[in-house]
Amino acid sequence: MRHSTKLPLYITIATFLLAYALCIAEYPSMLSTRVVANLLTDNAFLGITAVGMTFVILSGGIDLSVGSVIAFTGVFLAVVLRDTHIHPLAAFVIVLLITTLFGAAMGLIIHYLEMPPFIVTLAGMFLMRGLAYVLSTDSVPIDHEFYGWLQSLYWKAPGGGRFRITGLLMVLTFAGAMLVLHRTRFGRNVYAIGGSAQTAQLMGVPCARTTVLIYAVSGGLAGLAGIVFSLYTSAGYSLAAVGTELDAIAAVVIGGTLLTGGSGFVAGTFFGIMIMGLIQTYIVFDGTLSSWWTKIVIGVLLFTFIMLQKGLAWVTTGRIPRASASAARS
Amino acid sequence: MQTDTRPVLHATGISKFFPGVIALDDVELALYPGEVHALLGENGAGKSTLIKCLTGAYGRDGGTITLDGQEIDPRDPLSSQEAGIGTVYQEVNLLPNLSVAENLFLGRQPRRFGMIDQRRMVRDARGILSEYGLEVDPARLLSSYSIAVQQIVAIARAVELSGKVLILDEPTASLDRDEVQLMFSVIRRLTARGLAVVFITHFLDQVQEICDRATILRNGRVVGTLKLAEASRTDIVTMMLGRQLEEVTRHPDRGVPGEVLLSLRGFGRRGAIEPFDMDLREGEVVGLAGLLGSGRSETCNAVFGADPADRGEARLRGAPLGLSNPRAAIRQRFALCPEDRKTDGIVGELSVRENIILSLQARQGWFRPLPRARIEAIAEHYVKALDIRLASLDTPIRLLSGGNQQKALLARWLATDPALLILDEPTRGIDVGAHAEIIALIERLRADGMALLVASSEMEELVAYSTRIVVLRDRRQVGELAGGEISPAAIVRAIAAEEGAAKEEVLA
Amino acid sequence: KTVGFSQIGSESGWRAAETAVTKSDAKKEGVTLKFADAQQKQENQIKAIRGFIAQGVDAIFLAPVVATGWDEVLGEAKDADIPVILLDRKVDAPKDLYMTAVTSDTVHEGEVAGDWLKKAVGGKPCKVVELQGTTGASVTIDRKKGFAEAIADASNIKIIRSQTGDFTRAQGKIVMESFLKAEDGGKDICALYAHNDDMALGAIQAIKEAGLKPGKDIKIVSVDSVPDMHLAIAHGESNATVELTPDMAGPAFEALKAYWKDGTMPPKWIQTKSTLYTQDSDNMAAYERKKDLGY
Amino acid sequence: MILTTLRRVAPQLIILALVLLLNFAMFPGFFRVEMHNGRLFGNLIDVLNRGAPVALLSVGMTLVIATRGIDLSVGAVMAIAGAVAASVVTGGSDWVVAVLAALGAGALCGLWNGVLVAVLRIQPIVATLVLMVAGRGIAQLLTHGAILTFNDPGLVRLGGGTILHVPTPIWIWIVLAVVVGLVVRRTALGLLIEATGINERSARLAGINARVLLIAVYLVTGLCAALAGIVVAGDIRGADANNAGLWMELDAILAVVIGGNSLLGGRFSITASLIGALIIQSVNSAILLSGMPVEFNLVIKALIIIAILVIQSPRVNHALYLLRASSGAFSPGASRGASTPRNTAPRSAASRTDHTTEEGRP
Ligand SMILES: Nc1ncnc2c1ncn2[C@@H]1O[C@H](COP(=O)(O)OP(=O)(O)OP(=O)(O)O)[C@@H](O)[C@H]1O
Ligand SMILES: Nc1ncnc2c1ncn2[C@@H]1O[C@H](COP(=O)(O)OP(=O)(O)OP(=O)(O)O)[C@@H](O)[C@H]1O
Ligand SMILES: [Mg+2]
Ligand SMILES: [Mg+2]
């Protein structure tokens, strides 16, 4: 009977599998390790961002700054590696520290000044993109051998697919987030705050600490996504990742998490990401869509997925009777 | 333990101001180990506020609190929790999106290798809840259980957290007798261990049953602390209200019911309430009795179209009628005062005035606003008529005390001049004075020819005003009492008889 | 044969024209064109190229949104033996990763505009306002740089204000309005340099609304030469525009055909011309030629 | 009535004044308004004129946000409306027809959003994200990605002309705001919208037709966006489907929030949102006038916004209130029965401490 709470998750997975099957039916070459590997690699940075976004959305908040943080991280790394002799690993640590602290600062403002996350993180979005501009408006290439080495770490599967370290990193991030969200007190407090901040406070949840941590996690993961993105493109560019926040939010929501907070699964987000990636891949395979039809089709597919989910949910809950306490009481 | 004369918790000079209200004025409260201390007062007297000041949910504007002789200054509920004060706040304050077990253990989940040990948590939760006679699946979402179950979970959580003091703010408002007794036995066990318990309720018989002493508040001031063994019920009520209260002992003359207003045939909703037949007459109060989860609320909601029936038919004065949504019902001058006022009733941020005229305005339509003067007149009329205590009509309704919110909701529906008034637990959280007033009001409305359908878990109350009582069990109507048959004992029998019958059926 | 074309997006009329021309060229050549619009995102372009590789196209056209970050994915294309031709912009990647680049020289475009202005003002002092493109776009940086280099030796010409107009008409108009107010109703402004025609067209309206005559009171030079700009120049409302042809695909297909026929490798850079149009050119003819290209 | 409104928008007015003064400090001619061939001309006029699109959007957005929703699609709807108007007028029809067609398109878009939110019960942010993505595509489909220019004097006048020497867009947003404001406040709509936004369940049970109300609100927002789209297209004499209204939804939401309206729905003030829109435009104007290198644009904007939000935050307001209280005027006992002013400070998603949200309203 427990599965009723996980229903949205199962529905997302079912939606993904169904859609993938349909794609393969139309373009048989979509069933290849290449496509699978690409789904993982190309969406690695988005996936990692979406994990952070899942934390935030589960707590009833939203973080619009992630796209800018990714851009900032990339530019920062590129500029630092160009102008200094710091090892990339050290630069990674520094930039993760910066983005985590930035997230924490937003969390502090949100909690202590009681301002809506939407607006605080919108200001954060302007700020981070602005700082990226200030560092460099030009796109700065990164050609450190360490980057080359990281990029050379992949497993070439039969069929030509390259499973890269960034894809692995994304999967690990998802696994870690699952553990944290479901098996630690902090994770449960995230759900608690999302259920009702006021009630959570009355139940003794340390709201201040948890909120700050949530946004710190989101900022830190956006920083990590920025590192992945810089690996992906070997460069830092201040205009990178514009609008990523909306993609991440869409992925989280398609993954079955409620924007109102308190309900959802990070595993769902993973499949949300995969669904978004599938839409992109499908459009590339189709290759006949003009620029405008591309946008329209993305919109229509987004809508279709949402409706498919609603439909599946409706069909399944129609059969599951309402929980009955009287039956359970002795 | 009673030999220890030092209070566990001693609060002195507690003051709390809200804009326009002095909620607490120099309040003192002393709790001794092993005692159950009642905190009594009318709606809006300041009981809940006092609790919140003690636990740090509100910052207080003055006063000192000592725990075991040490001065403490709880900044938030967490710090008082850590100091050993467990609290059940008024209105269930749990998280519907978490499982029952998690609600019980939030913040102190058992861990293994740093990770939450889910299996153990569920097992422990089952153990704890069984002490309260609750055989629920702790792994399921809290929201899948009724308010009563949630209330018990809240109590269990507070008990687990209370090392020194347990505070219960109207924990019994939605519990029936058996649960209350189980809770009392838990309380007795705790006091035997030397805990101090604060118990807030409007049920004076419960106070007299379990409490040792009582502190009585009126308008934010302490009017006295007394030993309950030495006080009579009338004394307490008089202290609370500042006046005498004539007890409602009078049984209603059950009059002659008028025409059939609404007649339901085979009316029901899958998964909520089995099909039933029912006739509601003008000038008649039909009571709905049953245990928790027996389907009383579902009946009310189906009749009002809030959870519309999916089978059967309804006729209004003989004419077929669709009850597919609340608006359809309201058009026929139906009204429903819901059970859960926080989520189904009040519109928290709106002023009391706006809350009162909301339904009337909704029925008038978007483009025919009620004139300002009329709004003012209606609001003031009902505030006076129902004695709603508030700083001003502009106060957002969420700032009113629970009982006063309930009255304001009643006012909302009375303002629409309903033909059929459905009341789901109308006296939940209402003080003795207002309780009597509401019973009198129901009487008066009935006498004026209104049809009423009232669900309540207080049998005495049902008996006091019902013309007929429909008994429910397991979402099914199982009996009906009318006229002279009506008595608490008869209701209990009706429920139990059916239970016996059901068992026999199973055996057969 | 199948060619995959990863286009940046459709942020301007010029870009739409480039797409339209490429599609019609492909039809002319009898090539199936797989088109992928990246919505201004590099990651989408990388996805698209990987998608093309997975589908096994015969060649890839790439109009890169940014110069950096292509090594890896171009390497994959090379591994799969798929030739890549860059359109319109170049990349910072080893030259062996792509077959050729068909682009104009964007720095040079700025220079042409600057040289024109130098000639137009003679030795007279001239205060210039600049409408930049989107902050961070490589075109913005290059066109700014080229112009600045061209006027570096003319001490009489000075850029007094420079703001971004995001390559759009609306923003060009708004920013120009504020330039005009800030510089004494525009009396102090001698010339406008806009990084694209759309912004210049917006600015022309702002100048008119401020009661000045664009093209006379304030000289205007911009880049792209879209049809509307030719009209404006013909009407004397603007002075000069540097052409950026939308037909990058034409030379690209030529190169491909040669390669497929006998393996001829084209030069690494096929530069398109940056023609200057002034009020002396035949703007109406240019307008007629271009108006149906999809701008 | 006017007094309560004034009290409600006082913080926004103060901030607007501050930002305008900042402009003045940077450019002394800021407040100068002159007449130039029959139109008022000056930076102040520009703020009003250039603020028009965001102001128009913020009127609808205020209502949507009051219902606890959000509309991300307004920018795309602007593009659609502009494209429709341009293609109708270049097709040879009268400008009135063009405007009506554009408004119709906006209404249709709003209806679509409304149905998604109210009937299919999709969360507003995602529901409108669909149209945000697809809508721009539809607009581009109409213009084929090019800028569809026109010279119809009627349409041009709506964006760039003047009436009584004042730029038409200023008239348009003021008239729209007054009309919507009157409709909402002189009928019961405002109250019902607020009730729905605060507690939809309660509102439905009280007999409010929340579904139709929600659809109507999204529809009005679509209309507002269409108007904004027409203004922007008329202004540049062309429909730029690629860029018209791009990211403008964020500015509109920002305007509503700077106006002190809660994103959690409920109490709203259109006037305050409009002042919020003007504040944003003044900030933009300050950035343009400052003459700083463009790289700093966003940093400056972010810092000013953060400053504005901090000034407005309930916490800071509470602290100020305590400061005022401690300086004498605080006598809680005296005020029993005195009217408590409406709750004006923005409620926030983060209202987690009872301390400040419940007690400290001045
Ligand atoms: N946050 C608040 N802001 C303003 N006034 C408040 C607030 N909370 C409570 N009040 C007011 O303080 C007074 C005391 O309320 P309180 O909730 O303590 O009453 P109570 O004794 O618990 O009543 P009940 O029996 O109905 O629960 C009431 O007049 C109420 O309106
Ligand atoms: N939202 C819900 N989801 C699933 N089940 C529910 C929900 N609400 C109520 N129930 C179930 O429906 C049954 C009826 O509960 P309800 O509380 O409405 O009955 P009742 O007879 O009115 O009792 P009371 O009002 O005294 O609690 C309960 O067993 C409860 O578990
Ligand atoms: Mg109370
Ligand atoms: Mg009930």
Side-chain angles (χ1 to χ4, degrees):
Chain A
M1 281 311 279
R2 281 186 65 188
H3 88 196
S4 64
T5 63
K6 291 203 173 143
L7 201 60
L9 175 62
Y10 297 145
I11 288 174
T12 309
I13 298 177
T15 310
F16 171 73
L17 293 178
L18 193 70
Y20 197 21
L22 286 177
C23 285
I24 292 170
E26 196 171 346
Y27 302 104
S29 56
M30 273 184 81
L31 181 63
S32 74
T33 56
R34 271 213 164 127
V35 171
V36 175
N38 288 354
L39 271 180
L40 287 178
T41 317
D42 293 335
N43 296 300
F45 81 98
L46 185 60
I48 294 173
T49 316
V51 170
M53 191 67 83
T54 311
F55 276 81
V56 174
I57 291 183
L58 276 176
S59 78
I62 201 157
D63 188 352
L64 298 181
S65 72
V66 288
S68 300
V69 172
I70 292 175
F72 170 82
T73 306
V75 176
F76 180 88
L77 285 175
V79 169
V80 163
L81 295 181
R82 181 188 65 188
D83 298 346
T84 68
H85 296 293
I86 294 178
H87 189 269
L89 276 178
F92 289 171
V93 173
I94 296 173
V95 81
L96 283 179
L97 223 62
I98 295 177
T99 56
T100 309
L101 285 178
F102 170 75
M106 291 197 300
L108 278 173
I109 296 181
I110 290 166
H111 182 82
Y112 284 105
L113 295 183
E114 293 177 17
M115 298 206 294
F118 193 99
I119 291 306
V120 174
T121 57
L122 182 64
M125 161 176 153
F126 290 150
L127 186 67
M128 276 320 224
R129 180 88 47 199
L131 288 178
Y133 282 151
V134 172
L135 282 178
S136 165
T137 51
D138 215 343
S139 84
V140 184
I142 302 176
D143 44 18
H144 199 280
E145 66 268 21
F146 183 69
Y147 263 67
W149 179 73
L150 281 179
Q151 280 159 349
S152 67
L153 293 179
Y154 57 77
W155 172 64
K156 196 160 179 179
R162 297 186 200 195
F163 290 87
R164 286 162 204 278
I165 190 155
T166 47
L168 181 68
L169 191 61
M170 168 176 78
V171 173
L172 287 180
T173 309
F174 270 101
M178 262 146 98
L179 268 188
V180 169
L181 275 175
H182 298 294
R183 303 300 293 275
T184 67
R185 291 187 182 168
F186 165 67
R188 300 325 289 170
N189 287 345
V190 173
Y191 279 85
I193 290 183
S196 160
Q198 214 145 332
T199 302
Q201 162 100 11
L202 285 180
M203 288 176 77
V205 170
C207 285
R209 190 169 42 141
T210 311
T211 307
V212 172
L213 257 177
I214 288 168
Y215 285 90
V217 165
S218 177
L221 285 178
L224 187 61
I227 294 174
V228 168
F229 195 77
S230 77
L231 268 169
Y232 186 50
T233 61
S234 300
Y237 184 36
S238 49
L239 277 178
V242 173
T244 300
E245 54 280 350
L246 289 179
D247 290 342
I249 293 169
V252 172
V253 173
I254 289 179
T257 299
L258 286 186
L259 267 174
T260 40
S263 157
F265 296 92
V266 73
T269 303
F270 180 80
F271 287 95
I273 291 285
M274 291 296 113
I275 288 176
M276 303 272 289
L278 200 62
I279 293 180
Q280 288 281 345
T281 313
Y282 176 82
I283 286 172
V284 171
F285 268 74
D286 181 77
T288 58
L289 298 175
S290 63
S291 300
W292 26 98
W293 277 110
T294 305
K295 292 197 175 83
I296 296 175
V297 168
I298 292 178
V300 169
L301 288 179
L302 196 62
F303 175 69
T304 316
F305 277 111
I306 297 169
M307 288 321 291
L308 205 63
Q309 240 175 10
K310 288 247 159 206
L312 281 176
W314 185 73
V315 168
T316 27
T317 49
R319 297 217 184 94
I320 291 177
R322 265 176 133 202
S324 139
S326 59
R329 285 166 59 85
S330 59
Chain B
M1 262 165 248
Q2 298 287 41
T3 52
D4 189 354
T5 49
R6 225 182 40 173
V8 214
L9 183 109
H10 194 184
T12 47
I14 304 285
S15 298
K16 177 74 191 167
F17 310 121
F18 292 120
V21 187
I22 313 172
L24 295 174
D25 185 8
D26 194 18
V27 170
E28 174 168 4
L29 181 71
L31 300 178
Y32 291 91
E35 77 164 340
V36 181
H37 194 113
L39 194 55
L40 303 176
E42 290 176 283
N43 293 134
K47 305 178 294 291
S48 301
T49 308
L50 176 59
I51 297 312
K52 289 191 176 168
C53 287
L54 290 182
T55 62
Y58 283 169
R60 58 190 188 282
D61 293 325
T64 52
I65 304 169
T66 59
L67 189 72
D68 279 339
Q70 299 270 323
E71 186 166 335
I72 57 166
D73 183 19
R75 297 239 129 259
D76 51 25
L78 182 59
S79 52
S80 62
Q81 226 171 65
E82 279 165 353
I85 304 178
T87 316
V88 173
Y89 295 93
Q90 196 174 10
E91 315 286 351
V92 181
N93 269 301
L94 291 179
L95 295 159
N97 61 318
L98 298 185
S99 73
V100 172
E102 277 174 326
N103 269 290
L104 264 180
F105 285 103
L106 190 68
R108 38 181 206 98
Q109 295 95 332
R111 285 188 287 197
R112 244 177 94 203
F113 313 122
M115 295 280 133
I116 294 176
D117 185 349
Q118 227 115 20
R119 214 165 298 154
R120 196 172 126 215
M121 189 167 79
V122 169
R123 203 175 52 227
D124 291 359
R126 189 167 285 132
I128 290 169
L129 292 178
S130 66
E131 284 183 44
Y132 296 82
L134 211 54
E135 301 293 333
V136 297
D137 177 0
R140 281 197 20 200
L141 288 189
L142 183 80
S143 61
S144 51
Y145 295 106
S146 71
I147 277 229
V149 174
Q150 301 186 12
Q151 186 81 62
I152 295 171
V153 176
I155 295 168
R157 174 180 167 86
V159 168
E160 291 299 306
L161 282 169
S162 56
K164 297 186 177 116
V165 178
L166 172 65
I167 302 177
L168 303 167
D169 191 350
E170 301 198 24
T172 53
S174 51
L175 299 189
D176 66 22
R177 275 165 209 239
D178 297 347
E179 272 95 15
V180 172
Q181 286 311 323
L182 280 167
M183 192 187 91
F184 283 177
S185 64
V186 172
I187 290 181
R188 290 199 185 96
R189 255 202 326 271
L190 293 178
T191 48
R193 285 214 319 256
L195 253 80
V197 177
V198 178
F199 184 45
I200 301 179
T201 186
H202 293 295
F203 299 111
L204 291 185
D205 33 352
Q206 290 178 5
V207 171
Q208 282 171 322
E209 185 180 342
I210 186 108
C211 297
D212 305 308
R213 295 193 309 143
T215 293
I216 294 167
L217 290 176
R218 191 162 75 228
N219 284 337
R221 290 206 179 82
V222 176
V223 285
T225 299
L226 38 81
K227 282 222 165 56
L228 281 163
E230 297 157 12
S232 77
R233 187 184 163 97
T234 339
D235 296 339
I236 302 172
V237 172
T238 312
M239 274 177 94
M240 275 166 66
L241 304 185
R243 65 186 156 89
Q244 295 274 341
L245 178 79
E246 332 89 77
E247 289 276 320
V248 254
T249 44
R250 171 181 62 89
H251 272 266
D253 70 288
R254 293 192 165 103
V256 195
E259 289 175 44
V260 174
L261 176 78
L262 179 70
S263 118
L264 307 170
R265 290 290 170 268
F267 211 65
R269 179 182 164 90
R270 199 173 67 157
I273 181 81
E274 300 283 313
F276 61 90
D277 298 344
M278 187 186 274
D279 286 319
L280 296 168
R281 293 190 171 78
E282 287 169 353
E284 181 187 50
V285 180
V286 175
L288 292 174
L291 294 178
L292 290 172
S294 54
R296 290 164 298 179
S297 300
E298 277 75 1
T299 308
C300 296
N301 290 343
V303 174
F304 190 63
D307 293 319
D310 55 9
R311 61 198 61 183
E313 60 164 23
R315 286 175 175 274
L316 185 76
R317 296 200 174 87
L321 167 69
L323 287 170
S324 54
N325 60 45
R327 261 175 312 118
I330 291 169
R331 255 198 308 277
Q332 307 304 334
R333 299 191 26 238
F334 289 12
L336 167 73
C337 219
E339 175 179 29
D340 187 348
R341 59 176 167 252
K342 200 160 140 196
T343 62
D344 299 349
I346 63 167
V347 180
E349 298 297 315
L350 290 189
S351 67
V352 178
R353 181 194 296 111
E354 288 162 321
N355 266 285
I356 290 179
I357 58 113
L358 194 60
S359 283
L360 192 57
Q361 180 62 69
R363 197 175 63 188
Q364 285 242 343
W366 300 359
F367 295 107
R368 287 174 52 213
L370 294 165
R372 204 161 273 273
R374 174 123 183 265
I375 293 179
E376 206 64 32
I378 292 174
E380 267 165 17
H381 169 74
Y382 283 104
V383 165
K384 209 173 297 144
L386 300 179
D387 191 24
I388 304 175
R389 308 282 172 87
L390 35 64
S392 117
L393 279 172
D394 285 316
T395 318
I397 197 169
R398 74 187 164 90
L399 300 185
L400 255 54
S401 77
N404 283 312
Q405 290 180 2
Q406 183 76 21
K407 291 189 203 170
L409 285 181
L410 203 52
R412 173 192 292 174
W413 291 108
L414 291 180
T416 64
D417 182 25
L420 169 64
L421 179 60
I422 307 166
L423 301 172
D424 195 354
E425 305 283 355
T427 55
R428 212 176 120 199
I430 290 221
D431 67 37
V432 269
H435 194 241
E437 284 163 31
I438 286 186
I439 293 180
L441 181 74
I442 291 176
E443 281 290 310
R444 211 161 56 237
L445 294 171
R446 182 188 61 77
D448 292 348
M450 194 182 285
L452 290 105
L453 179 65
V454 187
S456 172
S457 25
E458 267 190 83
M459 287 180 200
E460 290 78 7
E461 173 190 316
L462 274 177
V463 168
Y465 50 61
S466 301
T467 332
R468 274 191 295 143
I469 290 182
V470 172
V471 181
L472 290 102
R473 208 190 120 74
D474 287 340
R475 304 151 190 272
R476 214 146 40 83
Q477 291 196 2
V478 296
E480 186 171 318
L481 307 168
E485 302 173 321
I486 297 179
S487 73
I491 299 176
V492 174
R493 246 187 338 253
I495 297 171
E498 183 56 31
E499 189 164 15
K503 280 208 182 105
E504 272 161 36
E505 243 170 67
V506 173
L507 288 176
Chain C
K1 297 263 178 187
T2 308
V3 173
F5 176 26
S6 169
Q7 175 63 290
I8 294 177
S10 58
E11 73 282 5
S12 67
W14 185 88
R15 184 72 54 198
E18 188 192 30
T19 307
V21 170
T22 308
K23 282 185 174 169
S24 75
D25 283 353
K27 198 176 274 166
K28 246 184 284 165
E29 305 290 345
V31 168
T32 319
L33 193 73
K34 289 258 172 190
F35 177 76
D37 180 301
Q39 324 272 336
Q40 267 75 38
K41 288 184 191 165
Q42 185 180 18
E43 61 269 27
N44 286 355
Q45 291 202 296
I46 297 177
K47 282 178 206 173
I49 295 174
R50 292 213 167 118
F52 292 146
I53 298 171
Q55 289 179 75
V57 296
D58 298 299
I60 293 173
F61 289 176
L62 166 66
V65 65
V66 57
T68 50
W70 300 101
D71 305 32
E72 203 176 344
V73 68
L74 292 187
E76 285 173 37
K78 192 177 152 81
D79 284 355
D81 279 331
I82 301 174
V84 175
I85 298 183
L86 306 174
L87 300 187
D88 164 41
R89 297 182 187 180
K90 286 204 249 183
V91 300
D92 292 345
K95 290 204 162 36
D96 61 321
L97 290 182
Y98 55 88
M99 186 182 218
T100 179
V102 186
T103 78
S104 83
D105 182 342
T106 35
V107 178
H108 180 61
E109 288 163 359
E111 281 166 8
V112 173
D115 287 338
W116 174 83
L117 187 66
K118 265 197 299 198
K119 226 178 295 141
V121 295
K124 275 182 289 191
C126 183
K127 291 182 181 167
V128 181
V129 292
E130 180 183 30
L131 283 172
Q132 300 184 26
T134 307
T135 314
S138 62
V139 191
T140 302
I141 295 161
D142 289 350
R143 288 183 184 162
K144 185 173 171 54
K145 187 165 137 213
F147 187 80
E149 275 167 8
I151 61 166
D153 56 348
S155 58
N156 57 329
I157 300 179
K158 245 191 21 231
I159 298 179
I160 50 169
R161 273 176 188 270
S162 178
Q163 251 300 341
T164 171
D166 278 334
F167 281 135
T168 69
R169 234 180 246 208
Q171 212 49 36
K173 184 173 180 186
I174 293 172
V175 176
M176 191 66 202
E177 269 175 10
S178 97
F179 283 168
L180 290 168
K181 307 252 154 59
E183 301 300 333
D184 195 16
K187 292 187 199 75
D188 293 349
I189 303 174
C190 137
L192 161 72
Y193 168 48
H195 287 189
N196 81 348
D197 284 348
D198 280 337
M199 290 190 291
L201 287 164
I204 288 172
Q205 289 177 30
I207 296 170
K208 281 200 268 189
E209 279 168 22
L212 298 175
K213 290 206 177 55
K216 300 212 172 55
D217 297 331
I218 296 178
K219 293 187 179 49
I220 298 171
V221 57
S222 52
V223 187
D224 273 4
S225 84
V226 302
D228 284 348
M229 184 46 89
H230 286 299
L231 274 189
I233 296 177
H235 294 151
E237 290 180 342
S238 183
N239 303 81
T241 181
V242 183
E243 181 172 36
L244 172 65
T245 174
D247 186 17
M248 306 278 177
F253 278 120
E254 293 300 323
L256 266 186
K257 265 197 302 193
Y259 172 71
W260 282 334
K261 206 167 120 214
D262 46 24
T264 327
M265 285 302 271
K268 273 291 152 191
W269 184 19
I270 305 175
Q271 187 184 358
T272 60
K273 277 209 291 274
S274 303
T275 323
L276 181 74
Y277 282 83
T278 63
Q279 292 185 339
D280 302 330
S281 324
D282 187 354
N283 282 293
M284 283 323 283
Y287 172 75
E288 289 302 327
R289 187 156 35 82
K290 291 184 169 181
K291 72 172 195 240
D292 292 323
L293 284 186
Y295 280 103
Chain D
M1 188 68 185
I2 290 175
L3 218 74
T4 35
T5 314
L6 260 185
R7 194 157 37 176
R8 162 71 179 78
V9 300
Q12 282 75 35
L13 281 177
I14 293 171
I15 289 170
L16 179 61
L18 286 178
V19 181
L20 288 178
L21 280 178
L22 179 75
N23 272 294
F24 178 69
M26 246 154 6
F27 179 61
F30 185 79
F31 289 113
R32 200 166 53 221
V33 174
E34 322 167 330
M35 201 68 134
H36 260 275
N37 29 334
R39 74 187 276 144
L40 289 175
F41 188 84
N43 288 86
L44 217 47
I45 301 293
D46 275 359
V47 168
L48 292 173
N49 188 20
R50 291 297 161 212
V54 175
L56 286 169
L57 293 182
S58 72
V59 171
M61 194 65 85
T62 308
L63 299 182
V64 170
I65 286 180
T67 65
R68 201 180 265 240
I70 205 156
D71 189 346
L72 293 182
S73 73
V74 288
V77 175
M78 279 175 72
I80 294 179
V84 167
S87 36
V88 170
V89 93
T90 48
S93 298
D94 192 55
W95 69 273
V96 180
V97 181
V99 169
L100 289 179
L103 290 179
L108 218 61
C109 292
L111 194 67
W112 162 264
N113 284 332
V115 168
L116 256 54
V117 171
V119 180
L120 301 180
R121 315 283 325 159
I122 301 175
Q123 309 183 52
I125 228 181
V126 205
T128 55
L129 185 66
V130 171
L131 193 57
M132 177 186 181
V133 178
R136 195 161 294 279
I138 295 171
Q140 288 173 334
L141 186 65
L142 291 170
T143 66
H144 288 274
I147 300 182
L148 205 55
T149 46
F150 53 81
N151 273 309
D152 181 278
L155 212 49
V156 167
R157 190 137 168 236
L158 287 180
T162 59
I163 297 175
L164 300 177
H165 311 304
V166 177
T168 330
I170 302 183
W171 288 110
I172 295 181
W173 73 256
I174 290 179
V175 169
L176 177 90
V178 169
V179 168
V180 174
L182 281 183
V183 166
V184 161
R185 289 303 176 196
R186 284 292 151 85
T187 68
L189 268 174
L191 175 66
L192 301 185
I193 288 174
E194 289 177 342
T196 310
I198 297 166
N199 187 342
E200 191 178 332
R201 240 185 103 72
S202 289
R204 277 175 199 274
L205 286 173
I208 295 173
N209 194 344
R211 191 174 290 177
V212 175
L213 194 70
L214 280 177
I215 294 179
V217 163
Y218 280 92
L219 196 134
V220 168
T221 309
L223 282 175
C224 291
L227 264 182
I230 295 171
V231 165
V232 166
D235 181 31
I236 59 165
R237 295 159 187 260
D240 185 352
N242 308 319
N243 296 298
L246 198 62
W247 301 119
M248 215 171 253
E249 51 279 348
L250 291 183
D251 272 351
I253 296 167
L254 196 59
V256 175
V257 174
I258 289 182
N261 296 296
S262 163
L263 281 171
L264 293 184
R267 296 282 186 211
F268 68 91
S269 160
I270 292 179
T271 320
S273 298
L274 292 174
I275 300 176
L278 293 183
I279 292 174
I280 293 177
Q281 191 52 44
S282 312
V283 170
N284 288 342
S285 145
I287 289 171
L288 288 181
L289 284 175
S290 70
M292 294 275 275
V294 288
E295 298 91 273
F296 291 94
N297 284 4
L298 276 180
V299 177
I300 299 172
K301 189 167 177 177
L303 293 179
I304 297 182
I305 291 172
I306 292 171
I308 292 174
L309 292 175
V310 168
I311 294 172
Q312 282 194 356
S313 92
R315 253 314 151 100
V316 174
N317 275 343
H318 183 55
L320 289 178
Y321 163 71
L322 285 185
L323 218 71
R324 248 179 293 142
S326 63
S327 62
F330 190 57
S331 53
S335 53
R336 184 157 182 131
S339 87
T340 325
R342 289 252 171 94
N343 152 13
T344 60
R347 265 188 307 137
S348 71
S351 52
R352 15 193 79 110
T353 41
D354 283 314
H355 299 263
T356 44
T357 51
E358 307 262 295
E359 62 190 58
R361 291 282 146 60

